Amino acid sequence: MRMAYIARSVLPSEAANAVHVARMCAALAGEGADLRLFAHQGRPASDMAGLAQIYGLRHPFALRLYDMKHPLDRLGWRARALLQAWREGRRTVLTRDVPTAALATRWGFATVLELHHPPAPDSDKGRALALAQARGARLVAITAQLAAHLEAQLNLPAGAVAVLQDGADLAPEPAPPPPGRRLVAGYAGSLLPGKGVELIAALAPLVPEVAFVVLGGPETARRDWQARVSAPNLSFLPRVAPAEVARHIAGFDVALLPNARHVGTSGGGITDIGAWTSPLKAFEYMALGRAILASDLPNLREVFSDGRNALLCPPEDPEGWVAPLRALAVDAGLRTRLGDAARQDLATRYSWAARARAMLTLLAQRP
């Protein structure tokens, strides 16, 4: 399939949306798609080889990055991307950007719009979403919770919005930890409100026999947390390139996914994605076969089943995480069973390759 992926993501950057877009494009290319990604240029500027190193991409794809500091690139970049796609014979568009979907459907492109949160119905993006859908855009949501919300918002029948969770590449199984090492419970990801660092900071003093590690976040936020938290068994590690995250997760005995009910974002006019999110780190944990402790939330229960591939704990209640964590600390067999089940689920249902195949099926369908 000859196609275009048009994204507002800045590449390179360590934003979750950039990681998602880059790895999804690589997966689509790996499944045979002739794809060009149109996105925004980060600093320092990078080519495909550089992006492959930063994101750990296994399959190259064509690339056009717009320098949004340059007036000519900033002006009408969506239209320019669609015009180039048309000239190259790319009649199919995948995007996470609602205005791009509205324009692409108006110009006759077969379009799939992937949504990670719902735009407000009375906003410009909400109206553009309704237009894109009415013109034939196929909608994809990252959770069933979000799909149901969009169907209600747009007055669509159940099942009209497809569901494709986020994904990860299956990673080599990590070596076992050295005998006698202190158990490590780790978190990799954002330090934004609601992602769960607040819970980890409260949990660490309650389980002093466990070493806690938080990996990621901007330097200023990391230093702020270090100044606020005095627990000697909690360490904050600097953010690393996306390709290096798996190496650190491999060192966790227990992987923490402590989402709150309300989760903040870094911008874009959306203030709460807690009900919709499908965290990339969840699938990265699964890919490495880590035993996972996760918040018991409806969107996370779409992937995790308590006692089968994770242990689910009450969100925003540190005391409710103590007993499950201690159970994992003393039972290596339980950690192995949960981790193996999570890894098998990733391999069969949530790999980037499986997601790309499902997306290509949707892209091939015509309204």
Side-chain angles (χ1 to χ4, degrees):
M1 175 181 290
R2 197 163 173 80
M3 61 176 292
Y5 194 137
I6 302 178
R8 293 182 65 243
S9 302
V10 176
L11 298 173
S13 75
E14 291 158 0
N17 67 75
V19 177
H20 171 101
V21 167
R23 289 181 174 164
M24 188 63 188
C25 286
L28 289 164
E31 294 301 314
D34 178 354
L35 177 145
R36 182 182 294 279
L37 170 63
F38 299 86
H40 296 180
Q41 181 176 286
R43 295 289 186 277
S46 183
D47 57 11
M48 187 64 237
L51 294 183
Q53 183 175 6
I54 292 167
Y55 295 110
L57 306 180
R58 300 177 180 180
H59 304 283
F61 46 87
L63 189 64
R64 171 66 166 94
L65 297 179
Y66 294 97
D67 184 353
M68 301 308 284
K69 293 186 177 181
H70 193 288
L72 291 179
D73 273 1
R74 189 168 62 248
L75 182 64
W77 70 271
R78 294 181 179 92
R80 294 174 64 195
L82 287 168
L83 284 170
Q84 181 175 341
W86 188 270
R87 287 195 299 268
E88 294 176 349
R90 305 178 192 277
R91 301 293 189 265
T92 300
V93 169
L94 171 60
T95 185
R96 288 177 50 171
D97 180 54
V98 175
T100 293
L103 187 58
T105 52
R106 182 178 180 182
W107 288 6
F109 287 87
T111 304
V112 170
L113 171 60
E114 178 175 332
L115 292 158
H116 289 225
H117 52 75
D122 58 351
S123 67
D124 288 343
K125 283 189 177 180
R127 288 184 284 272
L129 170 60
L131 275 175
Q133 191 278 324
R135 292 173 182 152
R138 185 68 194 270
L139 304 184
V140 175
I142 56 164
T143 61
Q145 296 290 310
L146 177 56
H149 180 93
L150 291 167
E151 287 161 358
Q153 177 175 321
L154 296 168
N155 196 27
L156 299 174
V161 178
V163 178
L164 289 179
Q165 298 276 352
D166 262 325
D169 287 320
L170 196 64
E173 291 194 50
R181 190 198 70 175
R182 191 180 192 184
L183 186 108
V184 176
Y187 166 91
S190 168
L191 305 184
L192 287 168
K195 291 288 189 177
V197 181
E198 304 90 344
L199 185 141
I200 295 171
L203 177 61
L206 302 178
V207 196
E209 68 271 25
V210 171
F212 290 82
V213 173
V214 172
L215 171 72
E219 182 66 17
T220 52
R222 188 173 67 86
R223 288 180 177 175
D224 179 60
W225 272 108
Q226 285 177 318
R228 291 162 57 187
V229 178
S230 59
N233 60 329
L234 173 55
S235 302
F236 289 85
L237 302 183
R239 184 162 55 188
V240 298
E244 296 297 315
V245 171
R247 178 173 60 85
H248 289 267
I249 293 174
F252 301 166
D253 300 296
V254 176
L256 303 174
L257 191 63
N259 282 39
R261 293 178 180 86
H262 302 284
V263 176
T265 71
S266 57
I270 303 299
T271 58
D272 183 5
I273 59 171
W276 328 117
T277 184
S278 174
L280 275 173
K281 59 180 168 286
F283 302 95
E284 293 172 336
Y285 294 165
M286 296 170 76
L288 284 151
R290 301 298 81 191
I292 297 169
L293 272 184
S295 293
D296 189 3
L297 294 168
N299 47 320
L300 298 184
R301 285 199 300 271
E302 294 178 26
V303 175
F304 297 114
S305 175
D306 187 38
R308 190 187 69 80
N309 61 357
L311 295 184
L312 301 182
C313 306
E316 305 163 34
D317 177 12
E319 289 81 4
W321 289 60
V322 172
L325 179 55
R326 283 187 165 144
L328 289 172
V330 300
D331 191 340
L334 176 59
R335 296 198 301 271
T336 298
R337 288 193 299 275
L338 293 174
D340 286 350
R343 182 177 165 85
Q344 181 62 29
D345 286 349
L346 187 287
T348 57
R349 299 181 60 189
Y350 301 117
S351 69
W352 283 122
R355 193 178 199 275
R357 288 191 292 271
M359 186 66 80
L360 287 171
T361 298
L362 291 172
L363 288 162
Q365 296 172 355
R366 293 295 185 266

